[in-house]
Amino acid sequence: MKKTKRFVFDTNTLVSAFLLPQSVARQALDKARETGRLMLSKSTATSRSTSV
């Protein structure tokens, strides 16, 4: 049985990927989505920034 690749990104990388579509972070995120499964911690999934 083939195991699915799993990928974890930190919050800063995810923010960069969403804000900068041509960034290396976005390229890595897109590649991870194409080749495996993204994994998020509960804290990352529910975190909200209180400052801008």
Side-chain angles (χ1 to χ4, degrees), residues 7-34:
F7 299 91
V8 177
F9 290 86
D10 70 1
T11 304
N12 290 330
T13 303
L14 291 173
V15 170
S16 293
F18 290 123
L19 294 178
L20 304 168
Q22 301 302 317
S23 67
V24 172
R26 180 56 177 262
Q27 293 172 24
L29 181 64
D30 289 344
K31 186 71 170 179
R33 290 177 65 198
E34 291 171 9

Side-chain angles (χ1 to χ4, degrees), residues 1-5 34-36:
M1 179 191 322
K2 185 178 177 182
K3 290 190 177 188
T4 301
K5 291 182 182 180
E34 291 171 9
T35 61

